Amino acid sequence: MKYLLSSSCIGIFLIFNIQAAFSQEEYKEVTAKIEVEKVEDALSITGMVENLKSEYKNISFELAVQKKNTSNTNSAINKQSGRFTLEPLKKISLSSTKINVSKEDQIIISLFIYNEKDILIGKDRIVVENEKKKII
């Protein structure tokens, strides 16, 4: 009976740890947000970050915009990066860029936020597809 009880406790412990290992990451220090606005045949892209804590945060960021033409093999990547000190409970714009888009383009936009030890603490990703201009 004692063995049965301890093995079921171990089983429950493993189930909860496996679930935690495969669950989606949740960032509690900052919120990374990509804002996209379509103006005629161009996209205006802004990387935003919000400090969720009541303390200053030293961060670095990378905003990457990858443009692929689906009718041929043309592709381009634009990366912007920098370092900031975030004030407590503040939201700021990190970087902005504009790109032209056509019906054949697929745009992948990624924003990564790192702490002062270069550990990922926030991210966002948007995909803009073909004619539909579907944002995922």
Side-chain angles (χ1 to χ4, degrees):
M1 180 71 171
K2 190 176 188 180
Y3 173 74
L4 184 60
L5 203 55
S6 66
S7 65
S8 63
C9 289
I10 291 171
I12 292 171
F13 176 76
L14 287 175
I15 289 171
F16 284 116
N17 282 336
I18 290 171
Q19 182 181 2
F22 290 105
S23 64
Q24 190 174 9
E25 291 182 69
E26 182 179 327
Y27 300 104
K28 297 180 181 181
E29 296 181 34
V30 299
T31 299
K33 181 73 176 155
I34 299 169
E35 295 181 354
V36 178
E37 183 180 353
K38 187 171 187 302
V39 180
E40 295 179 13
D41 290 337
L43 290 180
S44 177
I45 302 162
T46 304
M48 305 289 293
V49 66
E50 182 177 5
N51 187 350
L52 302 174
K53 299 288 186 172
S54 58
E55 57 194 38
Y56 284 88
K57 292 257 176 240
N58 292 317
I59 62 149
S60 60
F61 76 92
E62 181 178 282
L63 177 65
V65 180
Q66 182 177 13
K67 180 178 175 179
K68 294 180 184 179
N69 188 303
T70 56
S71 65
N72 57 40
T73 59
N74 289 347
S75 150
I77 297 177
N78 175 358
K79 290 186 180 181
Q80 299 178 14
S81 61
R83 293 194 174 275
F84 282 92
T85 299
L86 288 176
E87 292 183 27
L89 306 170
K90 294 285 183 177
K91 184 176 182 178
I92 64 167
S93 169
L94 298 168
S95 180
S96 294
T97 188
K98 291 184 181 181
I99 60 168
N100 293 324
V101 291
S102 69
K103 295 176 185 177
E104 297 85 25
D105 291 336
Q106 177 190 48
I107 313 295
I108 301 171
I109 309 161
S110 303
L111 175 62
F112 300 102
I113 309 293
Y114 301 93
N115 68 10
E116 62 276 354
K117 296 178 183 175
D118 289 330
I119 297 171
L120 186 67
I121 60 171
K123 64 181 176 180
D124 193 15
R125 183 172 186 259
I126 294 178
V127 177
V128 181
E129 298 265 350
N130 296 344
E131 284 184 57
K132 303 170 201 161
K133 297 293 182 246
K134 174 176 70 176
I135 296 179
I136 301 173

